[in-house]
Amino acid sequence: MHKPAALMMLSLALFAAGCSAGNGASGSTANDTPAKNTPAADTAPAASTAAAVDILKIAGSNNGYPSPFAFSASGPFGYLRNSFIFDTLTWKDDKGVIPWLAKSWDVTDNGLTYTFKLEENVKWHDGQAFTADDVVFSFNYYKTYPFNWNGDISQIKSVDKVNDLTVVFHLNNKYAPFLSDLVGIVPIIPKHVWEKVTKPAEYRDDAALVGTGPYKLKKYDSATGQYLFAANEQFFKGQVMVKEVAFVAASNKLLALQNGEIDETYTSSYADVQTAEKAGFKTIKSEPTGSVVRISFNLDHPKLGDKRLRQALAYALNREEISSKITGGKPMVGSAGVVPTDSPWYNKNVKQYPYDPAQAEKILDELGYKKNANGVREDLKLSVMTSSTMPDATMMKEMLKKVGIELNLVQLDAAAFATALGENKYDIALTGHIGASGDPDYLRLWFSGKAANMWSSRGKSLQLEEFHKLAEQQMQELDEGKRHEIVNKMQDVLAEELPTLVLYHRPFYDIHKAEVFDKFKNTFGGIADGMPLWENKVYFINVKK
C-alpha cells in the first residue's frame, strides 16, 4: 500500500535547506537475498557494557508527530524519528539486513512463504508483551490505514500466527526486496493500542507513541520542531549507549557546531566540509551517493513527447559543469539509465549523452526547429519548473540558449510544485531526492507511479510496456545474477527513451564532534528503502550479536 502524497525522499527544497544524506559502502543486495535459517540473534552472549553518552544533539527540524500515521512525509526525517520509537522485523547496519524483532527467518524454495521466529521477552513501552498477534494485526491494519511511508504491502497475501513467537507471511508473488524494503520498513504497532483507533492520523493519546524501540519520546515542541528522545533501558536488542538524543533547530549548522549547540549535522556543500575539517570536526562522505538531481520531461507535451527532442536537450546540457559548480567537489554526472554510476546495479554499457552541442543542433535542425536571425528557435520555447531558487535551472537556461532554445524559469512553492507535477502541468521539472542507493526496485516504483514520493513518481506518463514488463520480472527474480541482467535492460530502455535525465548525483557529508560520539557509519544500501542518512538507531545501540 503506497500513499501517493507521501514523499519517500527529500525534495530539492529540503536539500537546499541543508538536509543531507549518506548510505552504505555497497548497494549490493546480496544480504537482502531471501535467506534460510538465519542464525538466531539470542544464541550469542549479551554484548558487554559500552561507555554511555549522556546526550547527543543533532541538527533537526519539525517532522511532525512521530506516530506511524502522523509524522511528516515530506522527507526521510519523519520516518527516522518514528524508527527510534517503533521497530521492524528486520533492520540494516553497515553490512546489510540484520535480524531485529525477528531473530531468524526461513523461506520456502518457491520464495512465496516466509516464516519468522520472533525475539523473546520483548516488551512494549507500556510493559505489555510483544507477540505474534501484534505482527499479524499490524499488517492487517495497514491495509485499511496505510503506513505513512513506503513498504509495498500489496505484495502480501496474508500473515498468519503459528504461535506467540512465530508468524508466516504468504506472498502473492516472489518479491526480491521483501526483507529490506517491506518487513524492513513497515513498523510493528501494538494491537492493544490501535485495534480500536479508527482515525489513526488524528490519534494523539500517549499510547500512540508506545513502541518497542530503543527510545521513548520525552519532549516534542511542534512550534520549533525540536525533539528529545530518552533511552528505553529495557530495550531487547542491547544497551542503548546514547541516553538522550535531541534534535535541535539550527539556522547556521556550522556555527552551531562550533558554539557547542549541536554535535552532528549534514551538508551537501564540499566547501562546508573543508571548513569543518579545518576546525577539527570529523566528516563522512555518503557512499554510494544515493542522491539524484534530475529533470523530468512531461511526456504528454506535444513536442517533448518526441524522444529525439529529449535526447537533443541531453546533448545540449554540460552536466559535468553543472555538477562541479553546484556540489563543489568531484563531479558525478548522472547516468541516462538513472541508476547512479557508483551503484553495484549500474549498467556500465548503458547509452550516455556526453556534452555535444553540435549533436544537439543537428537533431534540432532535423526536427525542423529553425533559428531566426537572432539565433532563436522561435517554435521551441520551453519552461523549466522548480520548487526553490536553484542555480541549476539558471545554468540550464544559459546552456540551452547556446543551441537556440529559450528556456523560461518558473519557480513555485512546494505545494504548487507537487500539484503541477502530479497533474502534468509543466514542460520540464527540475527535482532532487534521495533513495537511489537501495534495492533497484525503486525503478519500478518511480516509473509505475507507485513510489511514495511525488518528486520521483512519474509513472502515469511513462507508457513503456517493455520497461514495465522488465520491472515486474526483476521484482520477482531471486537470483541476483539474473536480476542484474534484467535491471541492466531496464536502464537501457530508460537511456533510450529518456523520460527523465539525471543531471548529477549530489554527495552528502556527515559532520560531527568525534569526542562526543564517533560511531556513525554509512548504512549498507541506505536506511530502509535507500535513505542515505546517518541517523540509524543501530549505531546508538551496543547490539547483541
Side-chain angles (χ1 to χ4, degrees):
M1 297 285 288
H2 292 273
K3 187 173 182 179
L7 303 180
M8 179 179 62
M9 295 164 276
L10 281 176
S11 71
L12 205 51
L14 287 174
F15 282 147
C19 298
S20 72
N23 61 318
S26 171
S28 168
T29 58
N31 288 4
D32 298 350
T33 303
K36 290 189 175 185
N37 300 319
T38 301
D42 62 352
T43 58
S48 59
T49 301
V53 175
D54 290 335
I55 187 167
L56 179 65
K57 296 171 289 185
I58 302 173
S61 59
N62 188 14
N63 304 115
Y65 186 73
S67 87
F69 306 92
F71 64 80
S72 171
S74 63
F77 297 106
Y79 175 86
L80 291 173
R81 304 291 183 270
N82 175 262
S83 74
F84 276 36
I85 300 172
F86 294 88
D87 288 316
T88 49
L89 293 179
T90 67
W91 195 242
K92 282 184 183 177
D93 63 8
D94 59 319
K95 304 299 182 184
V97 173
I98 58 174
W100 208 249
L101 278 173
K103 66 180 181 179
S104 66
W105 52 84
D106 193 75
V107 57
T108 55
D109 290 337
N110 64 7
L112 296 177
T113 303
Y114 288 76
T115 301
F116 290 90
K117 296 292 185 181
L118 306 178
E119 285 279 4
E120 302 173 6
N121 303 315
V122 178
K123 299 291 185 182
W124 293 101
H125 292 159
D126 61 5
Q128 294 206 33
F130 158 78
T131 72
D133 289 323
D134 297 304
V135 178
V136 174
F137 169 80
S138 296
F139 284 93
N140 287 333
Y141 191 80
Y142 290 131
K143 290 180 180 179
T144 302
Y145 308 104
F147 174 51
N148 203 28
W149 199 246
N150 217 21
D152 189 0
I153 69 169
S154 67
Q155 302 294 332
I156 299 172
K157 183 177 182 180
S158 65
V159 185
D160 301 315
K161 172 184 176 181
V162 176
N163 54 50
D164 280 349
L165 293 174
T166 309
V167 291
V168 177
F169 284 73
H170 300 282
L171 305 186
N172 292 313
N173 45 252
K174 290 182 289 185
Y175 185 53
F178 177 73
L179 292 174
S180 62
D181 285 17
L182 210 172
V183 296
I185 290 177
V186 178
I188 306 303
I189 56 177
K191 178 181 179 181
H192 66 276
V193 170
W194 294 95
E195 60 184 341
K196 294 182 180 179
V197 178
T198 57
K199 295 182 178 180
E202 301 174 12
Y203 189 51
R204 292 292 188 278
D205 285 7
D206 290 345
L209 299 182
V210 168
T212 58
Y215 289 95
K216 302 176 184 180
L217 185 66
K218 187 173 182 179
K219 183 182 295 185
Y220 166 52
D221 187 334
S222 60
T224 62
Q226 301 193 102
Y227 300 77
L228 180 62
F229 291 90
N232 172 13
E233 298 297 347
Q234 283 72 49
F235 186 53
F236 70 95
K237 202 67 181 175
Q239 175 200 5
V240 183
M241 296 181 291
V242 181
K243 297 307 176 184
E244 290 188 332
V245 179
F247 292 94
V248 181
S251 56
N252 186 322
K253 297 176 178 59
L254 279 182
L255 183 60
L257 269 172
Q258 293 170 343
N259 291 341
E261 299 167 20
I262 58 174
D263 305 309
E264 188 245 2
T265 188
Y266 314 100
T267 185
S268 61
S269 168
Y270 187 64
D272 285 350
V273 171
Q274 293 176 309
T275 299
E277 290 180 344
K278 288 179 181 178
F281 298 107
K282 187 172 180 178
T283 65
I284 306 174
K285 181 182 179 181
S286 59
E287 294 179 350
T289 306
S291 163
V292 296
V293 177
R294 63 192 179 107
I295 52 176
S296 291
F297 299 106
N298 182 353
L299 303 187
D300 294 333
H301 188 279
K303 295 178 180 177
L304 289 168
D306 189 330
K307 71 178 181 182
R308 293 175 298 170
L309 175 56
R310 303 195 294 272
Q311 292 173 348
L313 295 175
Y315 283 120
L317 295 174
N318 189 338
R319 293 178 287 146
E320 183 173 358
E321 180 181 336
I322 296 174
S323 173
S324 179
K325 289 185 176 180
I326 298 298
T327 65
K330 183 179 180 181
M332 185 176 173
V333 177
S335 169
V338 177
V339 175
T341 55
D342 64 349
S343 167
W345 292 96
Y346 170 59
N347 177 0
K348 296 180 181 179
N349 298 316
V350 73
K351 179 179 181 179
Q352 298 294 359
Y353 297 85
Y355 179 52
D356 190 345
Q359 179 65 11
E361 298 248 32
K362 180 176 181 293
I363 297 174
L364 292 170
D365 289 341
E366 291 173 351
L367 290 173
Y369 298 117
K370 303 301 181 182
K371 292 182 179 179
N372 62 17
N374 296 320
V376 177
R377 302 177 193 271
E378 292 182 339
D379 294 333
L380 188 58
K381 294 183 179 180
L382 300 171
S383 64
V384 59
M385 179 179 72
T386 72
S387 61
S388 63
T389 301
M390 298 168 62
D392 317 60
T394 302
M395 295 176 69
M396 286 173 55
K397 180 181 178 72
E398 293 304 313
M399 290 173 183
L400 293 182
K401 185 178 180 179
K402 293 178 181 179
V403 297
I405 298 175
E406 286 189 350
L407 185 65
N408 183 42
L409 307 186
V410 179
Q411 182 181 334
L412 303 176
D413 61 39
F417 181 90
T419 299
L421 197 63
E423 296 177 353
N424 279 7
K425 293 181 178 178
Y426 66 97
D427 296 347
I428 302 169
L430 178 55
T431 66
H433 48 83
I434 60 177
S437 59
D439 188 276
D441 192 49
Y442 68 80
L443 293 176
R444 175 183 68 91
L445 298 175
W446 287 9
F447 297 106
S448 65
K450 294 182 180 179
N453 181 11
M454 275 290 234
W455 269 249
S456 66
S457 184
R458 304 305 320 127
K460 60 185 176 184
S461 60
L462 181 58
Q463 302 299 322
L464 293 175
E465 183 177 349
E466 179 187 6
F467 176 84
H468 295 303
K469 182 179 179 180
L470 291 168
E472 290 296 315
Q473 289 176 356
Q474 65 78 28
M475 178 187 76
Q476 298 185 39
E477 181 53 70
L478 303 184
D479 182 285
E480 188 172 341
K482 293 179 180 178
R483 194 171 181 223
H484 265 279
E485 294 176 2
I486 301 171
V487 173
N488 282 349
K489 293 178 182 178
M490 292 171 67
Q491 293 174 67
D492 287 334
V493 174
L494 292 173
E496 175 62 28
E497 298 295 332
L498 277 191
T500 187
L501 176 67
V502 180
L503 299 179
Y504 59 93
H505 299 281
R506 186 194 318 237
F508 285 86
Y509 307 87
D510 169 85
I511 304 175
H512 65 273
K513 294 180 179 178
E515 66 271 21
V516 175
F517 186 76
D518 196 25
K519 295 185 180 296
F520 295 107
K521 299 178 182 180
N522 281 313
T523 297
F524 182 100
I527 298 172
D529 46 4
M531 302 177 210
L533 300 169
W534 290 269
E535 295 175 34
N536 187 339
K537 61 188 176 185
V538 73
Y539 302 137
F540 300 163
I541 302 162
N542 193 22
V543 178
K544 292 183 289 187
K545 302 299 181 183

